[in-house]
Amino acid sequence: EVQLLESGGGLVQPGGSLRLSCAVSGFTFSDYAFAWVRQARGKGLEWVSGITGGGGNLYYADSVKGRFTISRDSSKNTLYLQMNSLRAEDTALYYCARKAGWVGSYPFDQWGQGTQVTVSS
Amino acid sequence: EIVMTQSPATLSVSPGERATLSCRASESVSRNMAWYQQKPGQAPSLLIFDVSTRATGTPARFSGSGSGTEFTLTISSLQSEDFAVYYCQQYNSWPPLTFGGGTKVEI
């Protein structure tokens, strides 16, 4: 069974940091590209960052560029999102999503259940 | 950045009725277009990709059509489990990957 399980969310003060993790199972991790997608409460979906199957190409939304870093560890079958200099507007439910391919143009065919990030003093 | 615009924002229908949801892209996305369904308290799930290909497990009452910049998701006969929010997404030109604002299908 394909599973994506996010963790690492929580309450953090503005300017603080968090590292999100997404542990995957049920498929070959290195065969797929991944992304983080967030959703503020009551709002739509916003793509945040993506990484190719080999980890050689990283992509970021302008809103997080320079503050967030995506990475992957094939030995642990885990995707990460290091979030620094957090702002109130980063408050959202963060989903890990699998792209239906290793590199290139594919939809998101599997999603985790999300981890909540709240940035507030 | 390609902007995806969905209409209507809310669609009120009755079970058994047909529902038509629209999505417009600010420029051509070829056939790299997907629809997702999100039920309350759940993650999105892939319904349709490449404009009209149903994802595994998507019932045949869901169909997608369109090309270029205009796309449609049709639910031929709404079932109770279909009441949800639907998002379109383009994956043709990125980054960034972009989603529409969503259409809520309600009773």
Side-chain angles (χ1 to χ4, degrees):
Chain A
E1 180 190 5
V2 171
Q3 287 194 327
L4 290 77
L5 185 61
E6 300 97 335
S7 61
L11 174 63
V12 61
Q13 292 188 339
S17 299
L18 278 177
R19 189 177 81 155
L20 307 184
S21 300
C22 174
V24 314
S25 59
F27 61 95
T28 303
F29 181 63
S30 57
D31 282 351
Y32 295 90
F34 287 87
W36 290 95
V37 177
R38 67 186 180 186
Q39 185 172 37
R41 187 176 300 275
K43 302 296 185 182
L45 300 169
E46 179 189 15
W47 173 84
V48 172
S49 182
I51 186 168
T52 51
N57 294 89
L58 314 179
Y59 306 95
Y60 300 96
D62 286 345
S63 58
V64 307
K65 201 171 293 183
R67 301 187 298 123
F68 290 11
T69 302
I70 191 171
S71 62
R72 60 191 295 162
D73 185 339
S74 293
S75 69
K76 297 181 178 179
N77 286 352
T78 301
L79 176 74
Y80 300 100
L81 186 67
Q82 178 66 44
M83 309 165 67
N84 298 330
S85 303
L86 282 161
R87 306 167 179 167
E89 55 264 37
D90 295 319
T91 295
L93 185 63
Y94 283 72
Y95 292 106
C96 165
R98 187 183 81 172
K99 291 189 83 175
W102 189 76
V103 66
S105 297
Y106 296 95
F108 297 122
D109 66 345
Q110 297 289 338
W111 296 68
Q113 286 304 302
T115 185
Q116 178 68 38
V117 171
T118 303
V119 184
S120 175
S121 55
Chain B
E1 171 177 334
I2 297 179
V3 177
M4 307 297 287
T5 303
Q6 290 187 242
S7 61
T10 303
L11 185 62
S12 297
V13 294
S14 299
E17 290 187 339
R18 182 186 189 91
T20 302
L21 289 65
S22 297
C23 181
R24 173 178 293 177
S26 59
E27 60 187 84
S28 176
V29 298
S30 187
R31 294 191 60 79
N32 294 313
M33 166 68 179
W35 292 91
Y36 299 86
Q37 178 191 64
Q38 187 176 33
K39 297 180 181 180
Q42 295 185 18
S45 62
L46 180 64
L47 268 183
I48 300 263
F49 63 96
D50 294 351
V51 177
S52 58
T53 303
R54 283 187 290 273
T56 303
T58 299
R61 61 182 180 273
F62 290 90
S63 63
S65 62
S67 64
T69 61
E70 300 282 346
F71 302 91
T72 300
L73 175 68
T74 301
I75 312 172
S76 60
S77 177
L78 270 156
Q79 306 299 302
S80 57
E81 60 267 31
D82 300 336
F83 292 94
V85 180
Y86 294 84
Y87 294 95
C88 62
Q89 182 225 351
Q90 68 83 19
Y91 46 96
N92 186 67
S93 178
W94 55 278
L97 290 160
T98 49
F99 295 87
T103 291
K104 182 179 182 181
V105 176
E106 63 176 25
I107 300 174

